[in-house]
């Protein structure tokens, strides 16, 4: 598995607000009937800043707890979002995402580079967002593969405080030899998200595994606070 995890359970929108700074916490918690796979967790702590009205940059601390192991710091991620078309400017909003993962010394993990094409379209009261993902390991111990994946969200803009959504996540394998569907990581679930008074935002949901190699279930939780 790539350390930068092309299936981070967050859908990125091609929208940036200049000058907006935010701190956040992200949790992915796996649920499985197999004790050897149950209760794996990924914790991420972030600080992000809208540098301009087109560029957002963020730094993440990545922590993980694998089943039967201790909670450990994995490394640091630096991510950037660049807006290609401002919201509503074209028929389809678009942006680019670039992330660099640097593992903690001593883990013998490779660095990793992740690229995403961000696409978004509003239709009536719905907002549809797609992330097309490519991930490549770099440096020592790196595998030669380029891994493809995707993330999708269809959100109902009901109220600012509560927006129900359906999210899909998939890992398709090496682009040169895509895995058969039963060997792909595929998840789908219901998520609630919104912005609250006082600068808080949240996302909470449960994702169901759709293939034998995917976690049976996963709790997703994100909370942010605008500074």
């Amino acid at each position: 598995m790539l350390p930068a995890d092309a299936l981070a359970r967050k859908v990125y929108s091609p929208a940036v607000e200049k000058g907006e700074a935010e701190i956040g916490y992200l949790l992915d918690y796996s649920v499985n009937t197999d004790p050897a796979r149950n209760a794996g967790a990924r914790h991420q702590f972030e600080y992000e800043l809208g540098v301009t009205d087109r560029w957002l940059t963020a730094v993440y601390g990545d922590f993980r707890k694998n089943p039967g192991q201790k909670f450990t710091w994995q490394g640091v991620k630096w991510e950037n979002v660049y807006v290609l078309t401002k919201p509503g400017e074209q028929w389809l909003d678009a942006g680019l995402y670039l992330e660099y993962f640097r593992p903690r010394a001593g883990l013998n993990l490779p660095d990793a580079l992740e690229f995403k094409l961000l696409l978004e379209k509003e239709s009536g009261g719905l907002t549809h967002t797609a992330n097309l993902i490519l991930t490549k390991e770099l440096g020592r111990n790196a595998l030669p593969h380029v891994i493809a994946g995707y993330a999708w969200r269809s959100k109902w803009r009901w109220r600012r405080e509560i927006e129900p959504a359906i999210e899909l996540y998939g890992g398709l394998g090496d682009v040169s030899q895509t895995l058969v569907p039963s060997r792909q990581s595929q998840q789908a679930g219901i998520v609630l998200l919104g912005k609250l008074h006082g600068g808080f935002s949240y996302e909470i949901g449960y994702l169901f595994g759709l293939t034998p190699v995917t976690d049976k279930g996963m709790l997703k939780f994100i909370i942010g606070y605008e500074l």
Side-chain angles (χ1 to χ4, degrees), residues 80-171:
N80 296 272
V81 173
Y82 184 78
V83 176
L84 297 176
T85 62
K86 293 184 179 181
E89 188 176 67
Q90 302 292 336
W91 176 81
L92 184 69
D93 300 334
L96 301 176
Y97 172 102
L98 188 65
E99 173 193 301
Y100 187 80
F101 174 81
R102 180 69 174 178
R104 175 174 60 86
L107 290 182
N108 294 319
L109 292 174
D111 295 7
L113 189 67
E114 182 172 288
F115 169 83
K116 297 178 183 178
L117 175 62
L118 313 180
L119 302 172
E120 190 166 86
K121 175 65 177 178
E122 291 189 1
S123 177
L126 299 176
T127 300
H128 306 289
T129 307
N131 296 174
L132 307 179
I133 308 166
L134 295 175
T135 309
K136 178 70 173 72
E137 293 181 347
L138 305 172
R140 192 171 65 175
N141 300 323
L143 296 175
H145 314 303
V146 177
I147 305 300
Y150 69 88
W152 175 279
R153 179 174 66 210
S154 290
K155 177 181 70 175
W156 177 29
R157 302 188 308 277
W158 180 41
R159 298 178 58 183
R160 173 184 169 88
E161 297 83 5
I162 305 176
E163 297 182 317
I166 296 174
E167 292 189 353
L168 306 173
Y169 298 90

Side-chain angles (χ1 to χ4, degrees), residues 30-41 66-68 211-216:
S30 62
V31 178
N32 288 285
T33 53
D34 181 0
R37 297 176 58 194
N38 192 41
N66 295 322
T211 64
V213 298
T214 311
D215 288 325
K216 179 182 177 181

Side-chain angles (χ1 to χ4, degrees), residues 37-53:
R37 297 176 58 194
N38 192 41
R42 179 182 187 185
H43 306 260
Q44 298 182 83
F45 301 88
E46 68 154 342
Y47 173 79
E48 69 176 38
L49 175 65
V51 182
T52 71
D53 58 356

